[in-house]
Amino acid sequence: MNDRPGKPVESLTVSDEELQSLTQAIFQRHGIDFTCYERLSLKRRVIRVLGVFNVDSIHALWRLILRDRTFIYTFMDEVSVGLTAMFRDPVLWRKMQYLLNNDLVKKSELAIWHAGCSSGEEIYTFGIVLRESVFANNVTAWATDISKQAIEQAQRGGYHALKFPEYEQNYKEFNPFGSLKRYSTSGKGTFQMHSDLIRHVSFEYHNLITDPFPVNLDIIFCRNVMIYFDSGAKLKLLKKFYDSLKPGGLLIIGFYDAVMPLIDPHQFDVLDIEAKIFVRL
């Protein structure tokens, strides 16, 4: 995140026309599609970016993007704010452990996609769940995000020490008898997750809107990502997730994604409504 002092966000405004002009220009120049993001949410993020980079208009922001072709990735890092935490929503991870120990244990291998992996807490969480399950067969995972900065942090697996108590409490709700200290090393103001938890994971940049999807997957995690998209984009993503999963594959969404009314009952059945797990028909 950029820590430079910028203009007060309260003093900045962006019109709908300016936002549309910016997103269309970015798509034409870089092939990155922000046009389907939920408008008010994207507008708030763009206004925040103007303040961070100390510019007072969309035109000035566009000059920055034009001046340096790599600046678009800095812009995306600032716009993309991850909504994640280690063992966030423990009810999900308890259910995942149950599935690994029962339904999924019969599979000879698992192919998993962490779509919109953000800074990686979910990936390390699932690595721990795997470690504490009886599933012992081959697992391969693909972790992707639109933010290169987030992907780099996910690969490093280092997090601020102030987050550890929250993450430890979440983990205790999953396993009251364990501790995240078993899977991490404390440093000066940080804690480092053990790299062996993600040996099965490959990391890549990926744009959910414009890039092709992997296929023949057993599990897709896409949690608190679709919250930023409009209904049309959510419908398209749900169809693409359906095409990516094997029959019987699992789609796991976020608690705030608000896609329940959009899920086609001919494509997905509810496996666990509390944990937001759906099974591909």
Side-chain angles (χ1 to χ4, degrees):
M1 196 70 69
N2 193 310
D3 294 321
R4 292 178 300 172
K7 290 182 176 294
V9 171
E10 307 80 34
S11 67
L12 300 170
T13 60
V14 173
S15 70
D16 290 347
E17 292 77 14
E18 287 175 322
L19 187 68
Q20 182 178 5
S21 175
L22 177 69
T23 55
Q24 289 179 346
I26 288 174
F27 180 71
Q28 290 171 3
R29 181 173 175 82
H30 295 281
I32 298 167
D33 192 354
F34 285 107
T35 59
C36 59
Y37 274 53
E38 198 279 322
R39 182 178 55 83
L40 291 177
S41 176
L42 182 59
K43 185 181 288 189
R44 285 193 296 268
R45 287 159 178 251
V46 170
I47 288 172
R48 177 186 168 279
V49 169
L50 293 176
V52 167
F53 291 101
N54 201 30
V55 294
D56 56 9
S57 69
I58 290 294
H59 181 67
L61 176 63
W62 183 240
R63 286 205 307 269
L64 282 176
I65 294 173
L66 286 175
R67 190 181 308 148
D68 179 0
R69 194 167 182 84
T70 65
F71 180 77
I72 187 62
Y73 299 111
T74 305
F75 170 79
M76 288 160 52
D77 287 339
E78 295 292 345
V79 168
S80 302
V81 178
L83 186 61
T84 187
M86 205 83 69
F87 282 91
R88 183 186 179 104
D89 308 315
V91 62
L92 165 64
W93 304 109
R94 290 194 295 268
K95 183 66 175 185
M96 288 308 303
Q97 186 182 52
Y98 172 85
L99 293 172
L100 287 165
N101 289 341
N102 294 275
D103 304 43
L104 297 174
V105 76
K106 306 164 190 173
K107 290 184 173 289
S108 60
E109 60 182 0
L110 287 177
I112 298 164
W113 182 18
H114 297 272
C117 68
S118 188
S119 47
E121 284 92 333
E122 175 187 281
I123 305 165
Y124 291 94
T125 296
F126 190 68
I128 293 171
V129 175
L130 277 171
R131 183 74 61 84
E132 297 188 7
S133 75
V134 300
F135 191 89
N137 297 324
N138 187 52
V139 178
T140 58
W142 190 38
T144 67
D145 201 272
I146 197 171
S147 167
K148 290 188 174 182
Q149 179 177 295
I151 293 171
E152 290 169 0
Q153 183 175 3
Q155 288 178 289
R156 292 193 303 269
Y159 303 99
H160 200 289
L162 291 176
K163 294 182 177 181
F164 189 86
E166 174 195 350
Y167 293 178
E168 175 79 335
Q169 179 59 41
N170 289 347
Y171 174 71
K172 289 286 189 181
E173 293 186 42
F174 167 78
N175 177 3
F177 306 103
S179 173
L180 280 182
K181 292 178 181 178
R182 176 184 174 191
Y183 301 107
S184 62
T185 303
S186 296
K188 187 175 181 180
T190 65
F191 66 98
Q192 176 70 45
M193 299 305 296
H194 294 169
S195 61
D196 60 347
L197 293 169
I198 58 166
R199 284 180 180 168
H200 62 289
V201 182
S202 298
F203 294 86
E204 283 187 38
Y205 167 87
H206 183 269
N207 186 322
L208 281 171
I209 301 301
T210 57
D211 292 340
F213 280 25
V215 294
N216 296 321
L217 296 169
D218 296 290
I219 303 172
I220 297 175
F221 292 93
C222 187
R223 306 186 66 226
N224 303 317
V225 176
M226 289 186 283
I227 188 175
Y228 303 117
F229 298 140
D230 62 26
S231 294
K234 289 176 180 178
L235 283 168
K236 290 177 183 178
L237 287 176
L238 288 169
K239 177 59 169 65
K240 292 169 81 172
F241 288 142
Y242 172 84
D243 292 337
S244 290
L245 285 164
K246 299 175 184 175
L250 305 179
L251 173 64
I252 302 162
I253 66 172
F255 283 33
Y256 304 103
D257 280 322
V259 297
M260 283 296 299
L262 304 176
I263 290 178
D264 187 340
H266 298 101
Q267 294 182 344
F268 293 100
D269 194 9
V270 176
L271 180 67
D272 189 312
I273 191 61
E274 187 180 12
K276 299 296 185 291
I277 303 175
F278 300 84
V279 59
R280 193 258 206 213
L281 300 175

